[in-house]
Amino acid sequence: MGQSQVMRDRRADHAQRTTCPATAAQARDDMRVFFAELSPAPTPECTDNAVLVVSELVTNALRHAGGLTALRLAADRTTLEITVRDPSHAVPRERAPDRNGAGGGFGWPLVRFLARTVAVTPSPRGGKSVRAVLTR
């Protein structure tokens, strides 16, 4: 199981957790544990959206970007941030969805639809971070 670090700043009403899950399922579990510690708890709709975004970003890092180097979850009273770091310099790109189910192509448009903002930032040490911000 991936390592986890939790930090909380009560004065700023901000919480964050950084993990390195080996699978998308493990990332979803990490996110659910993080959400269980938030007060007030995110709405069911917010939780469902975040589960999809975490799942898609982690799956994309594992399938297309050479792996996952970190998953960072952060929350304040109004937003949730999901950041996935990977070793690839390649920016995610939209491609035609495979309607037969074999080739994917649905994840990146779904992430961009569910998130308020999405940013891809190159890392100075190589690789990149993909950050999605959702409304809490």
Side-chain angles (χ1 to χ4, degrees):
M1 188 169 263
Q3 294 182 357
S4 178
Q5 178 183 7
V6 179
M7 295 184 288
R8 196 175 296 286
D9 181 350
R10 296 202 186 277
R11 292 172 297 146
D13 265 340
H14 185 268
Q16 67 181 22
R17 171 182 301 245
T18 301
T19 69
C20 192
T23 66
Q26 199 172 55
R28 290 189 298 269
D29 290 344
D30 289 348
M31 193 215 67
R32 287 184 183 106
V33 168
F34 177 70
F35 273 24
E37 298 170 354
L38 297 178
S39 180
T43 65
E45 179 182 8
C46 177
T47 301
D48 290 346
N49 290 344
V51 165
L52 285 170
V53 170
V54 164
S55 191
E56 291 299 334
L57 290 179
V58 169
T59 297
N60 285 349
L62 295 171
R63 281 190 186 162
H64 307 295
L68 177 77
T69 57
L71 168 65
R72 180 180 173 273
L73 305 167
D76 62 23
R77 291 245 175 231
T78 60
T79 61
L80 299 166
E81 292 181 19
I82 299 163
T83 305
V84 169
R85 283 181 237 152
D86 65 55
S88 174
H89 293 288
V91 175
R93 64 180 174 81
E94 193 163 332
R95 57 193 176 94
D98 179 357
R99 298 193 189 275
N100 295 323
F106 294 95
W108 187 238
L110 181 64
V111 167
R112 290 185 306 121
F113 176 78
L114 293 174
R116 184 166 51 173
T117 62
V118 178
V120 180
T121 307
S123 173
R125 295 183 304 261
K128 67 178 171 301
S129 293
V130 180
R131 179 176 158 258
V133 178
L134 287 79
T135 300
R136 186 169 168 186

